Amino acid sequence: MSTQAYVIDEMISAKAIAARVEALAREISSYFASTEKLVVVGLLRGSFVFIADLVREIDLPIEVDFLEVSSYGNSTESSREVRVLKDLRGEIAGRDVLVVEDIVDTGYTLAHVLKLLETRGPARIEACALLDKPSRREIPVEAKWTGFTIPDEFVVGYGIDYAQRNRNLPHIGKVRFLPEAK
Ligand code: IMP
Ligand code: MG
């Protein structure tokens, strides 16, 4: 099945993202100021651009690790089943951990990841999400830090894809599907 034709309308500019990322990093740096070495865990693949910018603004000793969980495949609907595709390389027991996510939508991904990582006994674990769509939430979960709260729109760019495309857009855009040609 081929994907329906669409256009992308800019929703959040690269400049607005950069300013927000800097502010988030400042809050995170002060929150974890006493942490010896913070483990920053990026959820692949959607958070790779966000985490790259975020860590460069965090003024603390950090380690970076990645966790890959399954997501939407090539559709815009959540499967609600979350599987670990690639686990962390490092141990997090006794450590302070920051989970970095691109979008919290239904909440299943972040809730599952936090629950899983909590079983490993971190000292503290918090999450930072670039985007939040609270109107889509199906289970209660919240990132301690959120970049932007957005309406129920399918978005791409700044690491976020639609069917593996558009991750390289420097801004966040809204996907607008075009009517099928008859
Ligand atoms: P959740 O488990 O429903 O909260 O979905 C979280 C994951 O779904 C995110 O990490 C994204 O990878 C993906 N996702 C949710 N909304 C969008 C969107 O608007 N565009 C692209 N991916 C999305
Ligand atoms: Mg994701």
Side-chain angles (χ1 to χ4, degrees), residues 123-138:
R124 284 193 290 184
I125 181 162
E126 299 294 351
C128 175
L130 178 68
L131 303 174
D132 187 12
K133 296 192 219 172
S135 66
R136 295 258 310 162
R137 203 71 92 256
E138 293 180 15

Side-chain angles (χ1 to χ4, degrees), residues 5-18:
Y6 62 93
V7 292
I8 298 167
D9 301 324
E10 183 169 309
M11 184 188 242
I12 308 170
S13 70
K15 205 172 153 191
I17 296 170

